[in-house]
Amino acid sequence: MSHTSLFDHRLYLETGLLVIGLISILGIGLFFLRKNSTHFRAGWASVKSWFFLAPLILFVLALPSPWPLLALTLVSISSIKVFFQMSGMYHRSWFVWISYIFTLLLGLTIYLGADEIFNILPMIFLGTICWIPLLRNSYQRMIQYIALSLMAFTFFGWSLMHLGRLLMLGSGPYIVLYLYLLTEISENVSLSSGRFFGKIKPFATISPRLTLEGVLISLMVTLLVAWGMRHLLPDRSERFWIAAGLAAAVLGRFGDLFLSVIRRDLGIRDTGVFIIGRGDILARVDKLIFVGPIYYYLYIFLQRLPHP
């Protein structure tokens, strides 16, 4: 991660202006079409949120180390908090605070480069929270609390914090920005195209809005964008941008589905509004819980392959 800010980097400024420009153009079109149908109205609501969210993300990623990593750690802790609120165990303070403390440890191990400790922290976390029933001399619903705590920490702590490991690589903020843009574009194209062309719904009970046609269209668009913005990667060769495009378009959908299963099982759609038109914070990070770790290990693996 860079110890100097990226505000004076020409590539970063051009990328930021391109992102804001595209959002503005899309927003103008949807503003005039918003009264024609509910689909355009939903699209306009989504784009409005980007006017706030995009500059904020661009600003944080441009800050010098360790601020982007610290911001990601806070996002991870906020996601865990919302998960506990959603699952009804936010009052179990021992489980909640240990989850927060271990998420801070994830951030610290990333900053110190202690990769081996980072990798085994989920096991240490499980061993730690198993002591809570003994210390409280209580057994009622403890299996449920332990399972939910492990799920929260593994997905919204350990998995999500792999973006922090990407941040620590050379040109890390560019890689994370690239990956985040691809996942957001993939999600929006999948949902919007599915509204107009979608007929086949492979997970109709879990996610009625997800259609096979929408996923295929988003896969093509995401790969096209991954190619067009590959200059953000330190290595622009095909294997890196294709891997990023596939991860964002395919794995991101599984993150959505995973959260949909939990929400529908609990009978909760949103726990609150994170940003207008964007649902809660889990709706913003769910697609990254699989994309982040898998692309990180793919990136490390591809780096070690000999160049053709």
Side-chain angles (χ1 to χ4, degrees), residues 191-212:
L191 294 178
S192 57
S193 58
R195 291 188 183 111
F196 292 100
F197 308 109
K199 298 293 183 183
I200 303 173
K201 299 180 178 181
F203 306 101
T205 305
I206 298 172
S207 180
R209 294 191 302 168
L210 184 71
T211 67
L212 181 60

Side-chain angles (χ1 to χ4, degrees), residues 145-163:
Y145 296 148
I146 291 172
L148 288 172
S149 299
L150 184 61
M151 186 183 294
F153 176 73
T154 303
F155 284 119
F156 303 107
W158 188 80
S159 293
L160 188 60
M161 287 297 287
H162 276 81
L163 293 178

Side-chain angles (χ1 to χ4, degrees), residues 178-193:
Y178 178 75
L179 204 59
Y180 188 77
L181 290 174
L182 292 182
T183 54
E184 285 291 342
I185 289 170
S186 173
E187 180 190 40
N188 284 279
V189 172
S190 176
L191 294 178
S192 57
S193 58

Side-chain angles (χ1 to χ4, degrees), residues 109-166:
T109 56
I110 292 172
Y111 183 70
L112 298 176
D115 293 343
E116 293 184 356
I117 299 177
F118 179 93
N119 289 331
I120 63 172
L121 268 179
M123 184 58 69
I124 300 174
F125 175 80
L126 176 60
T128 303
I129 59 175
C130 283
W131 278 90
I132 295 177
L134 305 180
L135 294 172
R136 294 181 60 86
N137 192 28
S138 174
Y139 63 87
Q140 292 183 331
R141 305 185 71 180
M142 283 299 169
I143 293 177
Q144 179 183 348
Y145 296 148
I146 291 172
L148 288 172
S149 299
L150 184 61
M151 186 183 294
F153 176 73
T154 303
F155 284 119
F156 303 107
W158 188 80
S159 293
L160 188 60
M161 287 297 287
H162 276 81
L163 293 178
R165 302 183 80 176
L166 285 169

